[in-house]
Amino acid sequence: MARPRTPLLSRERIVAAALRLIDDEGLDALSTRRLATELSVSGPSLYNHFATKDDLLDAVVDSVIGEVDLSMFGAAGPAWPQALRDWARSYRAALAAHPNIVPVLAQGPGRRPNALRLADAVFGHLVESGWPRGQATRIGALMRYFVTGSALASFAAGFPADAEVYDAADYPHLGEAHRLAGHRGAVDEGAFETGLEALLDGLALRYARLAERP
């Protein structure tokens, strides 16, 4: 029997093609017609795997969350500060690899299995480490806000490289701001690491106060 000219359609193949399209051209580029063209199939065949575009987008988002390492939350993993540090870095790396999907991902886990597993792992590790359940919930939310926010856009790239924009009479402290865009990686990575350490230091102080309570 002759082999088909194109691979058989599957959820995994559709999700991978949709993610490539979003990575290359943004969320607005994703449509059933465009995706069918990319896959060399008919549009209706996609609905055998995903009932709606929103269902497909959920699967794409969840595939990105599936790239986040959760192994540090195992029983033999590090103490909670290092676990959160390692997880936050892995989480940010996954989002940084797919920045165009971040606005959808920021809406929360919904019914996405990988996203729910992530939430379960973080919350469970914090509770098992001695954090009260209410505070563990808030810490999980705080970390997600921080990581997602850091991946939404580049701080450094938001400053024009034109030195004439920063008139000293109007912006006396921005005389070097035109150089920021040229150091985007160092500025943005440094800001993330500074914020992460500040958050963890603050949480460590709160954790120490828990132990002092009668």
Side-chain angles (χ1 to χ4, degrees):
M1 180 181 294
R3 293 183 178 180
R5 293 184 179 179
T6 58
L8 294 176
L9 203 58
S10 65
R11 286 178 62 91
E12 292 75 16
R13 186 173 168 233
I14 294 170
V15 167
L19 182 57
R20 283 195 302 272
L21 187 58
I22 293 170
D23 283 345
D24 292 343
E25 301 182 34
L27 282 166
D28 291 342
L30 182 62
S31 69
T32 302
R33 177 176 297 181
R34 178 67 187 282
L35 188 56
T37 299
E38 293 290 322
L39 291 166
S40 301
V41 299
S42 64
S45 64
L46 298 177
Y47 292 109
N48 293 327
H49 300 274
F50 296 98
T52 66
K53 178 182 173 181
D54 285 343
D55 290 339
L56 170 59
L57 198 53
D58 267 354
V60 173
V61 170
D62 209 40
S63 73
V64 173
I65 293 298
E67 298 177 11
V68 181
D69 183 14
L70 300 178
S71 63
M72 68 287 297
F73 295 123
W80 68 265
Q82 188 61 46
L84 286 184
R85 181 180 289 109
D86 294 342
W87 166 67
R89 289 170 175 165
S90 177
Y91 195 3
R92 182 173 183 267
L95 302 194
H98 309 284
N100 291 335
I101 203 70
V102 175
V104 181
L105 184 148
Q107 297 172 7
R111 297 175 180 270
R112 302 162 189 155
N114 286 330
L116 290 171
R117 275 191 284 271
L118 183 152
D120 180 77
V122 175
F123 177 77
H125 190 81
L126 290 170
V127 171
E128 290 167 5
S129 298
W131 284 98
R133 294 173 67 86
Q135 292 196 43
T137 299
R138 291 190 286 274
I139 292 169
L142 167 66
M143 296 300 293
R144 186 170 69 83
Y145 294 154
F146 172 66
V147 175
T148 303
S150 74
L152 277 172
S154 165
F155 174 83
F159 288 84
D162 182 359
E164 294 184 2
V165 171
Y166 309 99
D167 190 304
D170 295 322
Y171 316 110
H173 305 295
L174 295 182
E176 299 296 315
H178 64 285
R179 303 182 188 278
L180 286 172
H183 301 277
R184 173 177 175 173
V187 172
D188 292 346
E189 183 67 26
F192 173 78
E193 288 294 331
T194 298
L196 179 60
E197 293 306 319
L199 282 176
L200 293 175
D201 286 348
L203 290 174
L205 292 174
R206 279 180 168 266
Y207 190 76
R209 288 199 291 269
L210 289 176
E212 296 172 357
R213 292 179 181 177

